Amino acid sequence: MSLPPDYHVHTKLCHHASGETSDYAASAVRRGMAELCFTDHAPAPCGYDAKYRMAVADFDRYLQIVDDARHDGRIPVCLGIEADYYEGCREFQDDWLSRGAFDMVLGSVHYIGDWGFDSPENSHIWEEVDVTAAWREYFSLVGCLADSGLYDVLGHLDLPKKFGYRPSDRDLDEMARPALDRIAAAGMGIEINTGGLRKPVAEIYPAPRLLSLARERAIPITFGSDAHNPEDVGYAFEEAVALAGEAGYSEYVVFRKRERTNVPLEG
Ligand code: ZN
Ligand code: FE
Ligand code: FE
Ligand code: ZN
């Protein structure tokens, strides 16, 4: 079985990943992938979450190291970026995202207000908040992300489950449905992200029931490992492909210059 390409891969420029882009590419080749898409954490000039992303001044360097991996010639390499959605991001991203020659822009919500809810440093806050209300706020931000029209694919749809704090299935469905409606209306995709398997929750993002809701809306999918080191490229993709099949997916999508193409899923 040839694995779908990995469309969520970081680089050392974000200060919490390691390895050279050529090592990530080599790892994708070893796993028999047809291509690879780098999606490092986008810079944010306002100083937003500065510790965990490339500096604005590093962006040219990012273009260069992605290009280095491409010129390596072992595998086609796409230029992507993981750009956060947060209040006020528009000011910068509107202009900046349209200027970069991106193949795909992955949109993620990592913050509810100023709470970086998926950071281990802040995980104790989950003990203090109303978990269902926090999830509801998260999904409303996801809806705004979709409405913004800035992004091609939503990253890790149910990221708030990372440390195991969850609403009831009924509440989850009720809040996820309108968010998925807005993702579908925006013509966006979502990703099957295996990074969750390496976190306390030990589950792929999104959960099977959410993936089925996405499938009902014909929302296209990509696959991502969220690798922060070369060894994690394509992490547990066999499991991710099986999950997609169980939800009724028979295709995934790839991107060039933000135009997507369907590819049949090999089971
Ligand atoms: Zn990261
Ligand atoms: Fe992320
Ligand atoms: Fe990521
Ligand atoms: Zn991520």
Side-chain angles (χ1 to χ4, degrees), residues 53 59 78 85 117 138 146 156 163 169 178 185 198 202 226 262:
R53 56 195 57 257
F59 184 62
C78 299
Y85 179 83
F117 65 84
Y138 168 80
H156 34 61
F163 302 108
D169 284 349
R198 307 189 299 271
D226 220 333
N262 295 331

Side-chain angles (χ1 to χ4, degrees), residues 104-150:
M104 187 216 40
V105 177
L106 187 64
S108 296
V109 175
H110 298 106
Y111 274 76
I112 299 170
D114 58 6
W115 173 30
F117 65 84
D118 80 317
S119 161
E121 292 158 38
N122 299 324
S123 62
H124 64 278
I125 295 175
W126 280 105
E127 287 294 340
E128 295 153 25
V129 297
D130 176 337
V131 169
T132 303
W135 275 78
R136 198 164 272 128
E137 254 187 274
Y138 168 80
F139 273 113
S140 103
L141 287 166
V142 166
C144 295
L145 179 159
D147 295 349
S148 77
L150 292 170

Side-chain angles (χ1 to χ4, degrees), residues 163-209:
F163 302 108
Y165 299 90
R166 311 172 196 252
S168 69
D169 284 349
R170 199 174 126 235
D171 285 338
L172 180 62
D173 285 9
E174 180 237 311
M175 55 182 96
R177 279 202 175 95
L180 287 165
D181 288 342
R182 288 157 83 180
I183 289 168
M188 282 177 64
I190 63 166
E191 62 166 3
I192 299 187
N193 180 317
T194 58
L197 290 168
R198 307 189 299 271
K199 304 299 178 192
V201 69
E203 258 183 33
I204 287 174
Y205 309 110
R209 60 189 300 117

Side-chain angles (χ1 to χ4, degrees), residues 10 16 41 228:
H10 290 275
H16 59 278
H41 298 285
H228 285 70

Side-chain angles (χ1 to χ4, degrees), residues 244-255:
E246 283 154 25
Y249 279 97
S250 56
E251 292 180 323
Y252 62 92
V253 289
V254 295
F255 287 85

